[in-house]
Amino acid sequence: TNNYVELIECKYSLKLALREHINHVFGDSNLIIAYWSKGHIKNEVAAETIDLALEVAKLRTVFELKGGIMAHISGDDNPADLGFHR
């Protein structure tokens, strides 16, 4: 699903940010930023999604402990969406 792909993107964004000492990660999926990347995920989703969310939550914890900030931005302001929200 789109949410699963957004979660994968979050995982690799956090890994890249940690490796390259980047302090800010942004995303336009409120579900991913506010819940899933913090490990808050309902049991009704697929087990592989839950596993990925927990993996991302660990990465996010490390990222934030090192001073990183993860924040939500509007899809209208996200250049990665190539204007699809307009």
Coordinates of all heavy atoms in Angstrom, one line a residue:
T1 N 0.8 -1.2 0.0 CA 0.0 0.0 0.0 C 0.9 1.2 0.0 O 2.1 1.2 0.2 CB -0.9 0.0 1.2 OG1 -0.1 0.2 2.4 CG2 -1.8 -1.2 1.4
N2 N 0.3 2.4 -0.2 CA 1.0 3.6 -0.2 C 1.6 3.9 1.1 O 2.7 4.4 1.2 CB 0.0 4.8 -0.6 CG 0.8 6.1 -0.7 OD1 1.8 6.2 -1.4 ND2 0.3 7.1 -0.1
N3 N 0.9 3.6 2.2 CA 1.4 3.8 3.6 C 2.7 2.9 3.8 O 3.6 3.4 4.5 CB 0.3 3.5 4.6 CG -0.7 4.6 4.6 OD1 -0.5 5.7 4.4 ND2 -2.0 4.1 4.9
Y4 N 2.6 1.7 3.3 CA 3.8 0.8 3.5 C 5.0 1.4 2.8 O 6.1 1.5 3.3 CB 3.5 -0.6 3.0 CG 4.6 -1.6 3.3 CD1 4.8 -2.1 4.5 CD2 5.5 -1.9 2.3 CE1 5.8 -3.0 4.8 CE2 6.5 -2.8 2.5 CZ 6.7 -3.4 3.8 OH 7.7 -4.3 4.1
V5 N 4.8 1.9 1.6 CA 5.9 2.5 0.8 C 6.4 3.8 1.5 O 7.6 4.0 1.6 CB 5.4 2.8 -0.6 CG1 6.5 3.6 -1.4 CG2 5.1 1.6 -1.4
E6 N 5.5 4.6 2.1 CA 5.9 5.8 2.8 C 6.8 5.4 4.0 O 7.7 6.1 4.4 CB 4.7 6.6 3.3 CG 3.9 7.2 2.2 CD 4.2 8.6 1.9 OE1 5.1 9.2 2.6 OE2 3.6 9.2 1.0
L7 N 6.4 4.3 4.7 CA 7.2 3.8 5.8 C 8.6 3.3 5.4 O 9.6 3.6 6.1 CB 6.4 2.7 6.5 CG 6.9 2.2 7.8 CD1 7.0 3.3 8.9 CD2 6.0 1.1 8.4
I8 N 8.7 2.6 4.2 CA 10.0 2.2 3.7 C 10.8 3.5 3.4 O 12.0 3.5 3.7 CB 9.8 1.4 2.4 CG1 9.2 0.0 2.8 CG2 11.1 1.2 1.7 CD1 8.9 -0.8 1.6
E9 N 10.2 4.5 2.8 CA 10.9 5.7 2.5 C 11.4 6.4 3.8 O 12.5 6.9 3.9 CB 10.0 6.7 1.8 CG 9.7 6.2 0.4 CD 8.6 7.1 -0.3 OE1 8.0 7.9 0.4 OE2 8.3 6.8 -1.5
C10 N 10.6 6.3 4.8 CA 11.0 6.8 6.1 C 12.2 6.1 6.7 O 13.2 6.7 7.2 CB 9.8 6.7 7.1 SG 10.1 7.5 8.7
K11 N 12.2 4.8 6.6 CA 13.3 4.0 7.0 C 14.6 4.4 6.4 O 15.6 4.7 7.0 CB 13.1 2.5 6.8 CG 14.2 1.6 7.0 CD 13.9 0.2 6.6 CE 15.2 -0.7 6.6 NZ 14.8 -2.1 6.3
Y12 N 14.6 4.5 5.0 CA 15.8 4.9 4.3 C 16.2 6.3 4.5 O 17.4 6.6 4.5 CB 15.7 4.4 2.9 CG 15.8 2.9 2.7 CD1 14.7 2.2 2.4 CD2 16.9 2.3 3.0 CE1 14.7 0.8 2.3 CE2 17.0 0.9 3.0 CZ 15.9 0.2 2.6 OH 15.9 -1.2 2.5
S13 N 15.2 7.2 4.7 CA 15.6 8.6 5.0 C 16.3 8.7 6.3 O 17.3 9.5 6.5 CB 14.3 9.4 5.0 OG 13.7 9.5 3.8
L14 N 15.8 8.0 7.3 CA 16.5 8.0 8.6 C 17.9 7.4 8.6 O 18.8 7.9 9.2 CB 15.6 7.3 9.7 CG 14.3 8.0 10.1 CD1 13.4 7.1 10.9 CD2 14.7 9.3 10.9
K15 N 18.0 6.3 7.9 CA 19.3 5.7 7.7 C 20.3 6.7 7.1 O 21.5 6.8 7.5 CB 19.3 4.4 6.9 CG 18.7 3.2 7.7 CD 18.8 2.0 6.9 CE 18.5 0.8 7.8 NZ 19.3 -0.4 7.4
L16 N 19.9 7.3 6.0 CA 20.7 8.3 5.3 C 21.0 9.5 6.2 O 22.2 9.9 6.3 CB 20.0 8.8 4.0 CG 20.8 9.8 3.2 CD1 22.0 9.2 2.6 CD2 19.9 10.3 2.1
A17 N 20.0 10.0 6.9 CA 20.2 11.1 7.8 C 21.3 10.8 8.9 O 22.2 11.6 9.2 CB 18.9 11.5 8.4
L18 N 21.2 9.6 9.4 CA 22.1 9.1 10.5 C 23.5 9.0 9.9 O 24.5 9.5 10.5 CB 21.7 7.8 11.1 CG 20.5 7.9 12.1 CD1 19.9 6.6 12.4 CD2 21.0 8.6 13.4
R19 N 23.6 8.4 8.7 CA 24.9 8.2 8.1 C 25.6 9.6 7.7 O 26.8 9.7 7.8 CB 24.8 7.3 6.9 CG 26.2 6.9 6.3 CD 26.1 6.1 5.0 NE 25.7 6.9 3.9 CZ 24.9 6.5 2.9 NH1 24.3 5.3 2.9 NH2 24.6 7.4 2.0
E20 N 24.8 10.5 7.2 CA 25.3 11.7 6.6 C 25.2 12.9 7.6 O 25.5 14.0 7.2 CB 24.6 12.1 5.3 CG 24.7 11.1 4.2 CD 26.1 10.9 3.7 OE1 26.9 11.9 3.7 OE2 26.5 9.8 3.4
H21 N 24.8 12.6 8.8 CA 24.7 13.6 9.9 C 23.7 14.8 9.5 O 24.0 15.9 9.7 CB 26.1 14.2 10.2 CG 27.1 13.1 10.6 ND1 27.0 12.4 11.7 CD2 28.1 12.7 9.9 CE1 28.0 11.5 11.7 NE2 28.7 11.7 10.6
I22 N 22.6 14.4 8.9 CA 21.5 15.3 8.6 C 20.6 15.4 9.8 O 20.3 14.4 10.4 CB 20.8 14.8 7.3 CG1 21.8 14.8 6.1 CG2 19.6 15.6 7.0 CD1 21.2 14.0 4.9
N23 N 20.2 16.6 10.1 CA 19.5 16.8 11.3 C 18.0 16.9 11.2 O 17.2 17.0 12.2 CB 20.0 18.1 12.1 CG 21.4 17.9 12.6 OD1 21.8 16.8 12.9 ND2 22.2 18.9 12.5
H24 N 17.5 17.0 9.9 CA 16.0 17.2 9.7 C 15.5 16.2 8.7 O 16.2 16.0 7.6 CB 15.7 18.6 9.2 CG 15.9 19.6 10.3 ND1 17.2 20.2 10.5 CD2 15.1 20.2 11.2 CE1 17.1 21.1 11.5 NE2 15.8 21.1 11.9
V25 N 14.4 15.5 9.0 CA 13.8 14.6 8.0 C 12.3 15.1 8.0 O 11.7 15.2 9.1 CB 13.9 13.1 8.5 CG1 13.0 12.3 7.6 CG2 15.3 12.7 8.4
F26 N 11.8 15.2 6.8 CA 10.4 15.7 6.6 C 9.6 14.6 5.8 O 10.2 14.0 5.0 CB 10.3 17.0 5.9 CG 11.1 18.1 6.6 CD1 12.4 18.4 6.3 CD2 10.4 18.8 7.6 CE1 13.0 19.5 7.0 CE2 11.1 19.8 8.3 CZ 12.4 20.1 8.0
G27 N 8.3 14.6 6.1 CA 7.5 13.7 5.3 C 6.1 14.3 5.2 O 5.7 15.1 6.1
D28 N 5.3 13.9 4.2 CA 4.0 14.5 4.1 C 2.9 13.5 4.5 O 1.7 13.8 4.4 CB 3.7 15.0 2.7 CG 3.7 13.9 1.6 OD1 3.7 12.7 2.0 OD2 3.8 14.3 0.4
S29 N 3.2 12.4 5.1 CA 2.3 11.4 5.6 C 2.1 11.6 7.1 O 3.0 11.2 7.8 CB 2.7 10.0 5.2 OG 1.8 9.1 5.9
N30 N 1.0 12.2 7.5 CA 0.9 12.4 9.0 C 0.8 11.0 9.7 O 1.3 10.9 10.8 CB -0.4 13.2 9.2 CG -0.5 13.7 10.7 OD1 0.5 14.3 11.2 ND2 -1.5 13.3 11.4
L31 N 0.2 10.0 9.1 CA 0.1 8.7 9.7 C 1.5 8.2 10.0 O 1.8 7.7 11.1 CB -0.6 7.7 8.8 CG -0.7 6.3 9.2 CD1 -1.6 6.2 10.5 CD2 -1.2 5.4 8.1
I32 N 2.4 8.3 9.1 CA 3.8 7.8 9.2 C 4.6 8.7 10.3 O 5.2 8.1 11.2 CB 4.6 7.8 7.9 CG1 3.9 6.9 6.9 CG2 6.0 7.3 8.1 CD1 3.6 5.5 7.3
I33 N 4.5 10.0 10.1 CA 5.3 10.9 11.0 C 4.7 10.8 12.4 O 5.5 10.8 13.4 CB 5.2 12.3 10.5 CG1 5.8 12.4 9.1 CG2 5.9 13.3 11.4 CD1 7.3 12.0 9.0
A34 N 3.4 10.9 12.6 CA 2.8 11.0 14.0 C 2.7 9.7 14.7 O 2.6 9.7 15.9 CB 1.5 11.8 13.9
Y35 N 2.5 8.6 13.9 CA 2.2 7.3 14.6 C 3.2 6.2 14.2 O 3.9 5.7 15.1 CB 0.8 6.9 14.2 CG -0.2 7.9 14.7 CD1 -0.8 8.9 13.8 CD2 -0.6 8.0 16.0 CE1 -1.7 9.8 14.2 CE2 -1.5 9.0 16.5 CZ -2.1 9.9 15.6 OH -2.9 10.8 16.0
W36 N 3.1 5.7 13.0 CA 3.9 4.5 12.7 C 5.4 4.6 12.9 O 6.0 3.7 13.4 CB 3.6 4.1 11.2 CG 2.2 3.6 11.0 CD1 1.2 3.6 11.8 CD2 1.8 2.9 9.8 NE1 0.1 3.0 11.2 CE2 0.4 2.5 10.0 CE3 2.4 2.5 8.6 CZ2 -0.3 1.9 9.0 CZ3 1.7 1.8 7.7 CH2 0.4 1.5 7.9
S37 N 6.0 5.8 12.7 CA 7.4 5.9 12.9 C 7.8 6.0 14.4 O 8.9 6.0 14.7 CB 8.0 7.1 12.1 OG 7.5 8.3 12.7
K38 N 6.7 6.1 15.2 CA 6.9 6.1 16.6 C 6.6 4.7 17.2 O 6.6 4.5 18.4 CB 6.1 7.2 17.3 CG 6.5 8.6 16.9 CD 5.6 9.6 17.6 CE 6.0 11.0 17.3 NZ 5.1 12.0 18.0
G39 N 6.2 3.8 16.4 CA 5.8 2.4 16.8 C 4.4 2.3 17.2 O 4.0 1.3 17.7
H40 N 3.6 3.3 17.0 CA 2.2 3.3 17.3 C 1.4 2.8 16.0 O 1.2 3.6 15.1 CB 1.6 4.7 17.7 CG 2.4 5.3 18.8 ND1 2.4 4.8 20.1 CD2 3.1 6.4 18.9 CE1 3.1 5.5 20.9 NE2 3.6 6.6 20.1
I41 N 1.1 1.5 16.0 CA 0.5 0.9 14.9 C -0.5 -0.1 15.3 O -0.3 -0.9 16.3 CB 1.6 0.3 13.9 CG1 0.9 -0.2 12.6 CG2 2.4 -0.7 14.6 CD1 2.0 -0.4 11.5
K42 N -1.7 -0.2 14.7 CA -2.7 -1.1 15.0 C -2.4 -2.5 14.6 O -1.7 -2.7 13.6 CB -4.1 -0.7 14.4 CG -4.5 0.7 15.0 CD -5.9 1.0 14.4 CE -6.3 2.3 15.0 NZ -7.6 2.8 14.5
N43 N -2.9 -3.5 15.3 CA -2.6 -4.9 15.0 C -3.4 -5.4 13.8 O -3.1 -6.4 13.3 CB -3.0 -5.8 16.2 CG -2.1 -5.6 17.4 OD1 -0.9 -5.3 17.2 ND2 -2.6 -5.8 18.6
E44 N -4.3 -4.5 13.2 CA -5.1 -5.0 12.1 C -4.3 -4.9 10.8 O -4.7 -5.4 9.8 CB -6.3 -4.1 11.9 CG -7.4 -4.3 13.0 CD -7.1 -3.4 14.2 OE1 -6.6 -2.3 14.1 OE2 -7.5 -3.8 15.3
V45 N -3.1 -4.3 10.8 CA -2.3 -4.2 9.6 C -1.4 -5.5 9.5 O -1.3 -6.2 10.4 CB -1.4 -3.0 9.5 CG1 -2.3 -1.7 9.5 CG2 -0.4 -2.9 10.6
A46 N -0.8 -5.7 8.3 CA 0.0 -6.9 8.1 C 1.2 -7.0 9.0 O 1.7 -5.9 9.4 CB 0.5 -6.9 6.6
A47 N 1.5 -8.2 9.4 CA 2.7 -8.4 10.3 C 4.0 -7.7 9.8 O 4.7 -7.2 10.6 CB 2.9 -9.9 10.6
E48 N 4.2 -7.8 8.5 CA 5.4 -7.2 8.0 C 5.4 -5.7 8.1 O 6.5 -5.1 8.3 CB 5.6 -7.6 6.5 CG 4.6 -7.0 5.5 CD 4.9 -7.5 4.1 OE1 6.1 -7.8 3.7 OE2 4.0 -7.6 3.3
T49 N 4.2 -5.1 8.1 CA 4.1 -3.6 8.3 C 4.4 -3.3 9.7 O 5.1 -2.3 10.0 CB 2.7 -3.1 7.9 OG1 2.5 -3.5 6.5 CG2 2.6 -1.6 8.0
I50 N 3.9 -4.1 10.6 CA 4.2 -3.9 12.1 C 5.7 -4.0 12.3 O 6.3 -3.2 13.0 CB 3.4 -4.9 12.9 CG1 1.9 -4.5 12.8 CG2 3.8 -4.8 14.4 CD1 1.0 -5.6 13.5
D51 N 6.3 -5.0 11.8 CA 7.7 -5.2 12.0 C 8.5 -4.0 11.4 O 9.5 -3.6 12.1 CB 8.2 -6.5 11.3 CG 7.7 -7.8 11.9 OD1 7.2 -7.7 13.1 OD2 7.7 -8.8 11.3
L52 N 8.1 -3.6 10.2 CA 8.8 -2.4 9.7 C 8.6 -1.2 10.5 O 9.6 -0.4 10.8 CB 8.4 -2.2 8.2 CG 9.0 -1.0 7.5 CD1 10.5 -1.1 7.4 CD2 8.4 -0.9 6.1
A53 N 7.4 -1.0 11.0 CA 7.2 0.2 11.9 C 8.0 0.2 13.1 O 8.5 1.2 13.6 CB 5.7 0.3 12.2
L54 N 8.2 -1.0 13.7 CA 9.0 -1.1 14.9 C 10.5 -0.9 14.6 O 11.2 -0.3 15.4 CB 8.8 -2.5 15.6 CG 7.4 -2.7 16.1 CD1 7.2 -4.1 16.6 CD2 7.0 -1.7 17.1
E55 N 10.9 -1.3 13.4 CA 12.3 -1.1 13.0 C 12.5 0.5 12.8 O 13.5 1.0 13.2 CB 12.6 -1.8 11.7 CG 14.0 -1.6 11.2 CD 14.2 -2.3 9.8 OE1 13.3 -3.1 9.3 OE2 15.3 -2.2 9.3
V56 N 11.6 1.1 12.1 CA 11.6 2.5 11.9 C 11.6 3.3 13.2 O 12.3 4.3 13.4 CB 10.5 3.0 11.0 CG1 10.4 4.5 10.9 CG2 10.7 2.4 9.6
A57 N 10.8 2.8 14.2 CA 10.7 3.5 15.5 C 12.1 3.5 16.2 O 12.5 4.5 16.8 CB 9.6 2.8 16.3
K58 N 12.8 2.4 16.1 CA 14.1 2.3 16.7 C 15.1 3.3 16.0 O 15.8 4.0 16.7 CB 14.7 0.9 16.6 CG 14.0 -0.1 17.5 CD 14.5 -1.5 17.3 CE 13.7 -2.5 18.1 NZ 14.2 -3.9 17.9
L59 N 15.0 3.3 14.7 CA 15.9 4.3 13.9 C 15.5 5.7 14.3 O 16.4 6.6 14.5 CB 15.7 4.1 12.4 CG 16.3 2.9 11.8 CD1 15.8 2.7 10.4 CD2 17.8 3.0 11.8
R60 N 14.2 6.0 14.4 CA 13.8 7.4 14.8 C 14.3 7.7 16.2 O 14.7 8.9 16.5 CB 12.3 7.5 14.7 CG 11.8 8.9 15.1 CD 10.4 9.1 14.9 NE 10.0 10.4 15.2 CZ 8.9 11.0 14.9 NH1 8.0 10.4 14.2 NH2 8.6 12.3 15.3
T61 N 14.2 6.8 17.1 CA 14.7 7.0 18.5 C 16.2 7.4 18.5 O 16.6 8.4 19.1 CB 14.5 5.8 19.4 OG1 13.1 5.6 19.5 CG2 15.0 6.0 20.8
V62 N 17.0 6.7 17.8 CA 18.4 7.0 17.7 C 18.6 8.3 17.0 O 19.4 9.2 17.5 CB 19.2 5.9 16.9 CG1 20.6 6.3 16.6 CG2 19.1 4.5 17.6
F63 N 17.9 8.6 15.9 CA 18.0 9.9 15.2 C 17.7 11.0 16.1 O 18.4 12.0 16.2 CB 17.1 9.8 14.0 CG 16.9 11.1 13.2 CD1 18.0 11.5 12.4 CD2 15.8 11.8 13.2 CE1 17.9 12.7 11.7 CE2 15.6 13.0 12.5 CZ 16.7 13.4 11.7
E64 N 16.6 10.9 16.9 CA 16.2 12.0 17.8 C 17.2 12.2 19.0 O 17.4 13.3 19.4 CB 14.8 11.8 18.2 CG 13.8 12.1 17.0 CD 12.4 11.9 17.4 OE1 12.0 11.1 18.3 OE2 11.5 12.4 16.6
L65 N 17.7 11.0 19.5 CA 18.7 11.1 20.6 C 19.9 11.9 20.1 O 20.6 12.5 20.9 CB 19.0 9.7 21.1 CG 18.0 9.1 21.9 CD1 18.4 7.6 22.2 CD2 17.7 9.8 23.2
K66 N 20.2 11.8 18.8 CA 21.4 12.5 18.3 C 21.1 13.9 17.9 O 21.9 14.6 17.2 CB 22.0 11.7 17.1 CG 22.6 10.4 17.5 CD 23.2 9.7 16.3 CE 23.8 8.4 16.8 NZ 25.1 8.2 16.2
G67 N 19.9 14.4 18.2 CA 19.5 15.8 17.9 C 18.7 15.9 16.7 O 18.3 17.1 16.3
G68 N 18.3 14.9 16.0 CA 17.5 14.9 14.8 C 16.1 15.3 15.1 O 15.5 15.1 16.1
I69 N 15.5 16.0 14.1 CA 14.1 16.4 14.1 C 13.4 15.8 12.9 O 13.8 16.0 11.8 CB 14.0 17.9 14.1 CG1 14.7 18.5 15.4 CG2 12.5 18.4 14.0 CD1 14.8 20.0 15.3
M70 N 12.3 15.2 13.2 CA 11.4 14.6 12.2 C 10.1 15.4 12.2 O 9.5 15.5 13.3 CB 11.2 13.1 12.4 CG 10.6 12.4 11.3 SD 10.7 10.6 11.7 CE 10.3 10.0 10.0
A71 N 9.6 15.9 11.1 CA 8.4 16.7 11.1 C 7.6 16.5 9.8 O 8.1 16.0 8.8 CB 8.8 18.2 11.1
H72 N 6.3 16.8 10.0 CA 5.3 16.7 8.9 C 5.3 18.0 8.1 O 5.4 19.1 8.7 CB 3.9 16.4 9.5 CG 2.9 16.4 8.5 ND1 2.1 17.5 8.2 CD2 2.5 15.4 7.7 CE1 1.2 17.1 7.2 NE2 1.4 15.8 6.9
I73 N 5.2 17.8 6.8 CA 5.0 19.0 5.9 C 3.8 18.7 5.0 O 3.5 17.5 4.8 CB 6.3 19.3 5.1 CG1 6.7 18.1 4.2 CG2 7.4 19.8 5.9 CD1 7.7 18.5 3.1
S74 N 3.2 19.7 4.5 CA 2.1 19.5 3.6 C 2.6 18.9 2.3 O 3.7 19.1 1.8 CB 1.5 20.9 3.3 OG 0.6 20.8 2.2
G75 N 1.8 18.0 1.7 CA 2.1 17.5 0.4 C 2.3 18.5 -0.7 O 3.1 18.4 -1.6
D76 N 1.7 19.7 -0.5 CA 1.8 20.8 -1.4 C 3.3 21.4 -1.4 O 3.7 21.9 -2.4 CB 0.9 21.9 -1.1 CG -0.6 21.6 -1.4 OD1 -0.8 20.7 -2.2 OD2 -1.5 22.2 -0.8
D77 N 3.9 21.2 -0.2 CA 5.3 21.8 -0.1 C 6.4 20.7 -0.2 O 7.5 21.0 0.0 CB 5.4 22.4 1.3 CG 4.4 23.6 1.5 OD1 4.2 24.3 0.5 OD2 3.9 23.8 2.6
N78 N 6.0 19.5 -0.5 CA 7.0 18.4 -0.6 C 7.4 18.2 -2.0 O 6.7 17.7 -2.9 CB 6.3 17.1 -0.1 CG 7.3 16.0 0.0 OD1 8.5 16.1 -0.4 ND2 6.8 14.8 0.4
P79 N 8.7 18.6 -2.3 CA 9.2 18.5 -3.7 C 9.3 17.1 -4.2 O 9.3 16.8 -5.4 CB 10.6 19.2 -3.7 CG 10.9 19.2 -2.2 CD 9.7 19.2 -1.4
A80 N 9.4 16.1 -3.3 CA 9.5 14.7 -3.6 C 8.2 14.2 -4.3 O 8.2 13.2 -5.0 CB 9.8 13.9 -2.4
D81 N 7.1 14.9 -4.1 CA 5.8 14.5 -4.7 C 5.6 15.0 -6.1 O 4.6 14.8 -6.7 CB 4.6 14.9 -3.8 CG 4.3 13.8 -2.7 OD1 5.0 12.8 -2.7 OD2 3.4 14.1 -1.9
L82 N 6.6 15.8 -6.6 CA 6.5 16.3 -7.9 C 5.2 17.0 -8.3 O 4.8 17.0 -9.4 CB 6.8 15.2 -8.9 CG 8.1 14.4 -8.7 CD1 8.2 13.2 -9.6 CD2 9.3 15.3 -8.9
G83 N 4.6 17.7 -7.3 CA 3.4 18.5 -7.5 C 2.1 17.7 -7.6 O 1.1 18.2 -8.0
F84 N 2.1 16.4 -7.2 CA 0.9 15.6 -7.3 C -0.2 16.1 -6.4 O -1.3 15.7 -6.6 CB 1.2 14.1 -7.1 CG 2.0 13.5 -8.2 CD1 3.3 13.0 -7.9 CD2 1.5 13.5 -9.5 CE1 4.0 12.4 -8.9 CE2 2.2 12.9 -10.5 CZ 3.5 12.4 -10.2
H85 N 0.1 16.9 -5.4 CA -0.9 17.3 -4.4 C -1.6 18.6 -4.9 O -2.5 19.1 -4.3 CB -0.3 17.6 -3.0 CG 0.0 16.3 -2.3 ND1 -1.0 15.6 -1.7 CD2 1.1 15.6 -2.3 CE1 -0.4 14.5 -1.2 NE2 0.8 14.5 -1.5
R86 N -1.1 19.2 -6.0 CA -1.7 20.5 -6.5 C -2.8 20.3 -7.4 O -3.1 19.3 -8.0 CB -0.6 21.3 -7.2 CG 0.5 21.6 -6.2 CD 1.7 22.2 -6.9 NE 2.8 22.1 -6.0 CZ 3.4 23.2 -5.5 NH1 3.1 24.4 -5.8 NH2 4.4 23.0 -4.6

